[in-house]
Amino acid sequence: SLDPVGYNGGYTTALSLQCGVPVVSRPGRCFAWRMSAGLLLRAGLSDCVVDTPAEYLAQVVRIAEDPHYALALRNKLMPRELGRALGTRRYVAALERAFLQIAEQGRQGKSPSDIVVEE
């Protein structure tokens, strides 16, 4: 799958990875341009995160023309392994704990402070 340059897929990338479809992404400077890259790195597909238009094209061509390479990428995305790679359950649990900390600070009348979300 190809991640659009300029404003990337984010959610679409997550769905593609869950279906076992590798995505090629070229992240930009802002958050909206980097979401797919973060998901790909977390899933162990660092080869699919590229810096230049030439690398983007080269990676797409490699996946399209080399079935063994494409299969190797897909094998990294087996559904049961992907959940662990993306750490979704752990992250959600950590995020929920952070929300509870924020709510407790508010109840106690404390000034807002940074909350670190750790897995």
Side-chain angles (χ1 to χ4, degrees):
S1 178
L2 302 177
D3 187 34
V5 176
Y7 192 91
N8 72 43
Y11 182 68
T12 306
T13 297
L15 291 176
S16 294
L17 295 176
Q18 287 178 341
C19 293
V21 177
V23 177
V24 179
S25 181
R26 188 175 146 234
R29 296 179 316 272
C30 66
F31 173 74
W33 292 8
R34 303 189 66 76
M35 293 183 334
S36 293
L39 291 170
L40 290 164
L41 293 172
R42 189 67 190 224
L45 296 180
S46 59
D47 289 351
C48 292
V49 179
V50 299
D51 294 320
T52 67
E55 290 173 343
Y56 188 88
L57 180 59
Q59 182 66 355
V60 170
V61 169
R62 182 175 181 197
I63 293 169
E65 292 181 347
D66 184 346
H68 298 292
Y69 180 65
L71 182 60
L73 292 175
R74 287 193 70 153
N75 285 338
K76 289 183 178 183
L77 298 175
M78 298 303 290
R80 119 183 103 76
E81 297 299 321
L82 185 61
R84 276 191 288 189
L86 295 178
T88 305
R89 285 189 181 150
R90 287 190 315 267
Y91 182 77
V92 168
L95 186 60
E96 288 172 343
R97 286 191 300 274
F99 288 151
L100 291 172
Q101 288 177 333
I102 292 168
E104 186 60 27
Q105 284 180 350
R107 275 195 290 277
Q108 293 177 6
K110 294 181 178 178
S111 298
S113 65
D114 291 342
I115 302 289
V116 177
V117 178
E118 297 180 18
E119 292 182 42

